[in-house]
Amino acid sequence: MNRPSKDAITKALNITLESIQGEGNSALSCTHPLNAIPFEQLATEVELLRSAKAHLHKEADERISHIQHRRNLAAPVHRLPQEIFGMILESFAADRHVGEEHGLLQLLHVGRLWYTAITNSPRLWTSVDAALPSKIARLVIDRSKNLPILSLDWNTTDGYDEGEHEKILELAIQNSKRFKSMELRVSSDDPLEVWPLLEAPTPALEVLTVEVDMDLDREKMSSGRLITLSLYRFAIPASINTLLQVLSATQRLEWLALGDKGRIDEPVAPDRQVTLDHLKTLKVDNMTNEYCAALLISIYTPVCSHVDVADSFWSDAADPFDSLIWQPGNTRTAALLAFHPQLDARVLRVAITVESSQVCVRAAREGEGFPRVLSFERPRPGRMVALIGHFFRDVWFCPPIDLTITSGMLQSDTSDLTPWGPRLSRLTLSDPVASLRALEQLALRTPATYTNAGERGTSVIQGEDWMCPNLREITLHIPEIESQFNMRVAALFFLVNNRWSGTDGGPAPDEQPAQFQVQVRCTYPTYKKLQDVEIEVIKVVPFFSFHRKA
């Protein structure tokens, strides 16, 4: 591209100046030498040249815009039908608020096609963000026509403008009947009361999330049409019975999430039972254990498939509830863990872990990507472990159970294997006290009940069997085996000879374990002694081994 000559530029300016000055008035011309212009005309000359420059720029910009528009018409997007382009924009805008970066307000400036498509698509304007200026929020609602408003996002935890929020709150209340989803996050510094919005008629509301730092212990948040309900911090009613009353009025509920309830204002004494026939997801996190336990014994969820429950504020106050949660035959707990006749697939495996003060129960069901999880914080978790063992012993068609106790379990009831009976298939112990207790208990026989089907019908026979007769994998972690070396080795030999050797005219030996491993941390001389012990044990239990950790 060649650079234009000075004569061409001068000619263009002269033509523009003549047009600005009018025909027959050409006193000023770019052909005059600069030094020849009278002093009194210099200011006028500058203004005329600036005017000429602006007109040339404007004309050039208009021509560039026109040319670019013609070029844009050839782009593939212009060959799309308006309906298809609108559907693409709807998919794009689904995860974005109107006013955020790359949101609808910015897309309006892309071009005429985009502006027309966006402004003529009411479905693109069905999300209201309280962070928007009130005029923009009103514009969004107006452009949504009469369509349901899919979401209202109200978040004042990052600051607020009181005057603007009052206007948006009034606007939201006026249109409350159109909301399908409301997400309210309110800080304690926000003087606005959001309850007028919650108390406004919301016949179309299906999703409600409330997170506040102030008490909102009201019952009017319930809605018969709610499908999703999420309550956090002080939005959770202080009274468990108020919460149960809310749940009893939301029979279509499919998702329930509760979290961050750090205090209880009333004694936790549930006075009703609530059945949630459609609940599929239950998430409870960071709750006081007595509140959480009271909830679990009060709701029945026959088809719930995603369960994630964790309390984290522990005290002895939850102990009375624990015996109710894990009472043998409790159908509410059984349903949470997928032991329910209405569910097609059976539970494949149950894993129970005890670490410090936490007891965690995981149940994996065929076809589910994630296990159901019930997690509890207790000052003495051994009490709950024993209750859980009795509970599963009573469950029909119970799958194999894995029990792992990792650390800190000094109570004798924690290491008691008696409640687990035939359900236990894999045992992992890292506590030295629990490991020694397991070696002693597994060498014992316990009362057992057998069913005998004969010609005269089915009869029940009382007999004896080995402790945990279906136990097939044993892993014991003994970090300091030297401290009670002789006692532990003696307990090991007694177990092996008594349970699996079948000598001395004793009872029939148990089936050999698929794995029996003892992991130790000791000096090399001690490990040499253990290798001699291993040689003797392998003669009876071929899959036994010691593993030394550095």
Coordinates of all heavy atoms in Angstrom, one line a residue, residues 56 58-59 84 103 107 172 185 200 204 270 272 319 343 348 355 450-451 471 497 505 513:
L56 N -13.3 14.3 8.0 CA -12.7 13.3 7.3 C -12.6 12.0 8.1 O -12.8 10.9 7.6 CB -11.2 13.7 6.9 CG -11.1 14.8 5.8 CD1 -9.7 15.3 5.7 CD2 -11.7 14.2 4.5
K58 N -14.6 11.1 10.5 CA -16.0 10.6 10.6 C -16.4 9.8 9.4 O -16.9 8.7 9.4 CB -17.0 11.7 10.9 CG -18.4 11.2 11.1 CD -19.4 12.4 11.4 CE -20.8 11.9 11.5 NZ -21.7 13.0 11.7
E59 N -16.1 10.4 8.2 CA -16.5 9.8 7.0 C -15.7 8.5 6.8 O -16.2 7.4 6.4 CB -16.2 10.7 5.8 CG -16.5 10.1 4.4 CD -18.0 9.8 4.3 OE1 -18.8 10.5 5.0 OE2 -18.3 9.0 3.4
I84 N -31.8 -20.6 16.1 CA -30.6 -21.4 16.4 C -29.6 -20.6 17.1 O -29.0 -21.0 18.1 CB -30.0 -22.1 15.2 CG1 -31.0 -22.9 14.4 CG2 -28.7 -22.9 15.5 CD1 -31.5 -24.1 15.3
G103 N -20.6 -11.3 30.0 CA -22.1 -11.5 30.2 C -22.9 -10.8 29.1 O -22.3 -10.3 28.1
L107 N -22.0 -8.6 25.6 CA -22.3 -9.2 24.3 C -23.2 -8.3 23.4 O -23.1 -8.4 22.2 CB -22.9 -10.5 24.4 CG -22.1 -11.6 25.1 CD1 -22.9 -12.9 25.2 CD2 -20.8 -11.8 24.4
A172 N -37.9 -7.5 43.5 CA -38.0 -9.0 43.6 C -39.4 -9.4 44.3 O -40.0 -10.4 43.8 CB -36.9 -9.5 44.5
R185 N -27.6 -15.0 50.2 CA -26.5 -15.0 51.1 C -26.4 -13.6 51.7 O -26.1 -12.7 51.0 CB -25.2 -15.4 50.4 CG -25.1 -16.9 50.0 CD -23.8 -17.2 49.3 NE -23.7 -18.6 49.1 CZ -24.2 -19.3 48.0 NH1 -24.9 -18.6 47.1 NH2 -24.0 -20.6 47.9
A200 N -43.0 -13.7 50.7 CA -43.8 -13.3 49.6 C -44.3 -14.6 48.9 O -43.6 -15.6 49.0 CB -43.0 -12.5 48.6
A204 N -44.0 -20.8 42.2 CA -43.2 -21.5 41.2 C -41.9 -21.9 41.8 O -41.1 -22.6 41.1 CB -43.0 -20.7 40.0
P270 N -36.7 -34.2 69.1 CA -37.6 -34.3 68.0 C -38.9 -34.9 68.4 O -39.0 -35.8 69.2 CB -36.9 -35.2 67.0 CG -35.9 -36.0 67.8 CD -35.5 -35.1 68.9
R272 N -41.5 -35.6 66.0 CA -42.3 -36.1 64.9 C -41.3 -36.9 64.0 O -40.1 -36.8 64.0 CB -42.9 -35.0 64.1 CG -42.0 -34.1 63.3 CD -42.7 -32.9 62.7 NE -43.1 -32.0 63.8 CZ -44.1 -31.1 63.7 NH1 -44.7 -30.9 62.5 NH2 -44.4 -30.3 64.7
D319 N -24.8 -39.2 72.7 CA -24.8 -40.7 73.0 C -26.2 -41.3 73.0 O -26.4 -42.4 72.4 CB -24.1 -40.9 74.3 CG -22.5 -40.8 74.1 OD1 -22.1 -40.7 73.0 OD2 -21.8 -40.8 75.1
L343 N -35.1 -50.3 46.5 CA -33.9 -50.1 45.7 C -33.5 -51.4 45.0 O -33.5 -52.5 45.5 CB -32.7 -49.6 46.6 CG -33.0 -48.4 47.4 CD1 -31.8 -48.1 48.3 CD2 -33.2 -47.2 46.4
L348 N -22.9 -53.5 47.8 CA -21.8 -54.5 47.5 C -20.8 -54.6 48.6 O -20.3 -55.7 48.8 CB -21.1 -54.0 46.2 CG -21.9 -54.0 44.9 CD1 -21.1 -53.5 43.8 CD2 -22.5 -55.4 44.6
E355 N -10.8 -43.3 63.1 CA -9.5 -42.6 63.2 C -9.7 -41.5 64.2 O -10.5 -40.6 64.1 CB -9.1 -42.0 61.9 CG -7.8 -41.3 61.9 CD -7.3 -40.9 60.5 OE1 -8.1 -41.0 59.6 OE2 -6.2 -40.4 60.4
Y450 N -27.8 -71.6 63.8 CA -27.8 -72.2 62.5 C -29.3 -72.5 62.1 O -30.0 -72.9 63.0 CB -27.0 -73.4 62.4 CG -25.5 -73.2 62.8 CD1 -25.1 -73.5 64.1 CD2 -24.6 -72.8 61.8 CE1 -23.7 -73.3 64.4 CE2 -23.3 -72.6 62.2 CZ -22.8 -72.8 63.5 OH -21.5 -72.7 63.8
T451 N -29.6 -72.4 60.9 CA -30.9 -72.7 60.4 C -30.8 -74.0 59.6 O -30.0 -74.2 58.7 CB -31.5 -71.6 59.5 OG1 -31.5 -70.4 60.2 CG2 -32.9 -72.0 59.0
L471 N -14.0 -63.9 58.3 CA -12.9 -63.0 58.2 C -11.8 -63.6 57.3 O -11.3 -64.7 57.6 CB -12.3 -62.7 59.6 CG -11.2 -61.7 59.6 CD1 -11.7 -60.3 59.1 CD2 -10.7 -61.5 61.1
N497 N -2.4 -71.8 66.0 CA -2.6 -73.2 66.3 C -4.0 -73.5 66.7 O -4.5 -74.6 66.4 CB -1.6 -73.6 67.5 CG -0.2 -73.5 67.1 OD1 0.1 -73.8 65.9 ND2 0.7 -73.1 68.0
G505 N -7.2 -82.5 68.8 CA -8.5 -83.0 69.0 C -9.5 -81.9 69.2 O -10.6 -82.1 69.7
P513 N -7.3 -67.8 55.9 CA -7.4 -66.4 55.4 C -6.7 -66.2 54.1 O -5.6 -66.9 53.8 CB -6.8 -65.6 56.5 CG -5.8 -66.5 57.1 CD -6.4 -67.8 57.1

